[in-house]
Amino acid sequence: MGKATRESYGMALVELGKEKENVVVLDADLSKSTKTADFKKEFSDRFFNAGIAEQNLMGMAAGFANVGFVPFASTFAVFATGRAFEIIRNSICYPNVNVKIAATHAGITVGEDGGSHQSIEDIALMNSLPNMTVIVPADHREAMQATKAAAEMYGPVYLRFGRCNTEDIFDDNYKFEIGKGVELKSGNDITVIATGMMVAKALEAARQLEAESISVRVINMSTIKPIDREIIVKAAKETKAIITAEEHSIIGGLGAMVSSVVCDECPTRVRMIGVKDVFGQSGTPDELMEKYNLTAEAIVNEVKGSLM
């Protein structure tokens, strides 16, 4: 088992701090949990605690961006996108300033904190904003590279990180690129397009189905916006159906973005695995993934259903 992507984010910030003197980090009094404490330890003069005041956090980040810094604003996903949405809209995206919003503890795998803290609508909220780039890394290496890529590009970026450890998917040869999906496994029967923690589940499901002579193509879609239209259309043309898998509501997230591309360019059947328009509840991450059918078994069943 690899690292949690929030830990990868903290590690990447330290490396960025050494490489770029204009990188600053802001946090909402959660630096131990978001792992920005690592940056604070190394670069205390470039770390700013806004306190439990997420709207101020985003406004401060916009201010830093406007005078030439590259600010990373960090807090839990439910607070970053919910409590601070209007500031993100009007002070960051509307003027298109160079702020990176790094939200940790996203999805239902926050676990025992319960539905009030499980952000399952954050991707949808960020997708709705013009000028926003939305990235959901699948593992440690991709999270490291995505953080650095966000620092290199100009404009608002939403980086979604998790609380739990992820399985290692990529090796040291992997090269992350914003806006590009990656085919992890070839297949001609069904395509599974997954993001975040569900990528490992998709690969596991594909391995199980291979034993039953069902050929599944697996695509890691780490950039939700702008989405890789080319790889989606290719899959729609070459396989019988597409299944999307995300640790997020099926409303407004990966499934919705893929469906929009397919409807526009190459109509085919799309089935969505995700949270079905309900709130989360308290439980261990594994219990919640089972309850909301965010499992390899759920993907296997959807694949088989799509072939009937």
Side-chain angles (χ1 to χ4, degrees):
M1 185 65 73
K3 294 180 174 63
T5 53
R6 62 176 173 138
E7 294 181 22
S8 314
Y9 165 63
M11 294 169 63
L13 284 181
V14 173
E15 293 185 10
L16 278 172
K18 294 174 181 177
E19 297 167 6
K20 297 178 178 292
E21 292 185 356
N22 64 339
V23 167
V24 295
V25 175
L26 300 87
D27 205 288
D29 209 31
L30 289 167
S31 61
K32 289 184 180 179
S33 296
T34 62
K35 302 303 178 182
T36 61
D38 299 338
F39 185 93
K40 177 183 179 181
K41 184 178 179 180
E42 294 281 341
F43 311 101
S44 59
D45 59 330
R46 287 191 272 154
F47 177 86
F48 303 90
N49 183 5
I52 307 172
E54 289 80 6
Q55 293 167 318
N56 286 345
L57 172 75
M58 297 304 170
M60 289 167 62
F64 273 109
N66 277 317
V67 292
F69 289 94
V70 180
F72 282 80
S74 302
T75 185
F76 290 179
V78 70
F79 305 134
T81 59
R83 190 172 293 170
F85 180 82
E86 187 265 335
I87 309 301
I88 295 172
R89 181 190 188 276
N90 286 334
S91 297
I92 295 174
C93 287
Y94 185 51
N96 194 29
V97 296
N98 195 30
V99 172
K100 318 305 170 184
I101 300 166
T104 69
H105 295 66
I108 62 167
T109 49
V110 173
E112 291 85 351
D113 288 353
S116 64
H117 280 56
Q118 292 162 3
S119 185
I120 53 174
E121 64 289 311
D122 54 314
I123 296 173
L125 288 168
M126 296 298 99
N127 276 345
S128 72
L129 292 171
N131 296 322
M132 181 64 83
T133 294
V134 179
I135 302 173
V136 186
D139 77 347
H140 162 65
R141 289 180 178 85
E142 188 166 60
M144 291 276 291
Q145 290 192 34
T147 302
K148 293 180 179 180
E152 291 294 335
M153 70 161 279
Y154 184 88
V157 179
Y158 180 69
L159 292 156
R160 189 187 208 239
F161 300 117
R163 179 182 192 178
C164 298
N165 289 350
T166 59
E167 295 182 29
D168 284 329
I169 294 169
F170 302 105
D171 60 25
D172 291 333
N173 296 318
Y174 176 62
K175 302 297 182 185
F176 169 80
E177 186 177 350
I178 293 174
K180 294 295 182 182
V182 177
E183 184 177 308
L184 300 178
K185 181 186 174 299
S186 61
N188 299 316
D189 290 328
I190 299 289
T191 297
V192 177
I193 302 177
T195 195
M197 291 192 71
M198 293 305 293
V199 176
K201 307 291 186 186
L203 288 169
E204 181 183 340
R207 286 191 291 269
Q208 293 179 24
L209 289 161
E210 201 75 38
E212 300 181 42
S213 298
I214 298 173
S215 176
V216 177
R217 181 179 306 185
V218 178
I219 293 171
N220 170 41
M221 194 67 76
S222 52
T223 305
I224 311 297
K225 183 187 179 189
I227 202 158
D228 188 341
R229 300 176 71 90
E230 182 179 347
I231 201 170
I232 295 170
V233 172
K234 187 173 186 288
K237 289 178 178 178
E238 295 178 354
T239 60
K240 299 179 181 70
I242 293 174
I243 294 166
T244 62
E246 58 193 307
E247 188 201 355
H248 183 270
S249 172
I250 59 171
I251 299 171
L254 172 67
M257 295 291 280
V258 170
S259 295
S260 177
V261 173
V262 167
C263 288
D264 189 37
E265 299 200 33
C266 185
T268 193
R269 182 167 46 180
V270 176
R271 295 191 178 196
M272 301 182 198
I273 292 174
V275 181
K276 310 292 187 183
D277 196 24
V278 294
F279 287 106
Q281 55 189 285
S282 183
T284 68
D286 286 342
E287 288 171 342
L288 293 168
M289 294 292 271
E290 286 283 346
K291 178 174 179 57
Y292 294 102
N293 293 315
L294 304 179
T295 63
E297 288 70 28
I299 296 173
V300 167
N301 292 335
E302 286 288 1
V303 169
K304 290 181 176 179
S306 296
L307 291 171
M308 295 177 63

